[in-house]
Amino acid sequence: MFGSTVRGAALAVVVLAGFAVSCDGDPATLSAASSASSASSASSAPSAGSTPSASSLPGPSEAGPATPSAARGASSSALPGTPPEKVRDAFAGLQATLDGSCTPAECSYFLGRVHDELHGLDAAMKADPKGPGHFPEPIALIAKLDAELGGDRSFKNLKEHQTLLIGTRDKINTWMQGHPDDYR
């Protein structure tokens, strides 16, 4: 009896360690691991005082608060088939950066967020039913920024181009304020 309890506890530790390592993993893989561990737990005839099975553990959707990039639609790596973010939502995300600044403790996060919000807005504008031709200036400003950044999203490069990055955000904010029908 003692041996099966130890095996069950060891199995639970292995499953929990695997779950902790693969929190960002594919839900299908996690489900398969959960099913496999449930099956082997059932075959070892657990006692009333045994550890809970992996199927009673919180799933990926219950693992805790979402990270900012996971909470965003078009600015994050959206799932295939997911519709892009609406222009008004993407613009609201960009406006949320207006009160931020590049303090030493937050500069990397801030510049990365401005970059991501600009690209989320760009994707939303290009996917909007009005078409990308309806947003020529903001799309052109983001294209100019991308040409300057050269595809390098590193903090060092964003910091080097901080004036252009923030200037692009501010110009797009001004343009959008002049076109309120596009985001209300």
Side-chain angles (χ1 to χ4, degrees), residues 118-119 122 126 135-151 164 168 172:
L118 284 169
H119 286 85
D122 185 53
K126 289 176 179 175
F135 305 97
E137 290 181 45
I139 291 174
L141 287 168
I142 294 169
K144 179 181 175 187
L145 172 67
D146 285 346
E148 288 291 321
L149 293 175
L164 177 62
T168 300
I172 290 174

Side-chain angles (χ1 to χ4, degrees), residues 5-175:
T5 304
V6 171
R7 269 186 271 141
L11 178 62
V13 169
V14 170
V15 169
L16 288 173
F19 181 78
V21 171
S22 66
C23 281
D24 292 333
D26 180 18
T29 306
L30 294 174
S31 177
S34 174
S35 298
S37 66
S38 295
S40 60
S41 292
S43 67
S44 65
S47 66
S50 68
T51 58
S53 70
S55 61
S56 66
L57 297 174
S61 63
E62 304 168 19
T67 60
S69 64
R72 307 256 352 124
S75 63
S76 69
S77 56
L79 297 173
T82 305
E85 195 170 23
K86 292 185 179 196
V87 171
R88 71 165 187 247
D89 297 334
F91 181 53
L94 183 66
Q95 284 186 305
T97 68
L98 292 173
D99 291 331
S101 62
C102 198
T103 62
E106 297 290 322
C107 196
S108 176
Y109 169 78
F110 172 70
L111 295 178
R113 179 164 180 211
V114 171
H115 179 272
D116 291 348
E117 296 294 348
L118 284 169
H119 286 85
L121 182 60
D122 185 53
M125 289 177 170
K126 289 176 179 175
D128 190 80
K130 296 174 188 171
H134 188 73
F135 305 97
E137 290 181 45
I139 291 174
L141 287 168
I142 294 169
K144 179 181 175 187
L145 172 67
D146 285 346
E148 288 291 321
L149 293 175
D152 182 1
R153 190 198 176 280
S154 69
F155 170 64
K156 180 182 176 194
N157 196 40
L158 292 178
K159 182 70 174 158
E160 231 173 75
H161 295 91
Q162 179 177 348
T163 304
L164 177 62
L165 181 66
I166 302 303
T168 300
R169 177 202 63 186
D170 294 344
K171 287 176 187 173
I172 290 174
N173 182 55
T174 300
W175 190 90

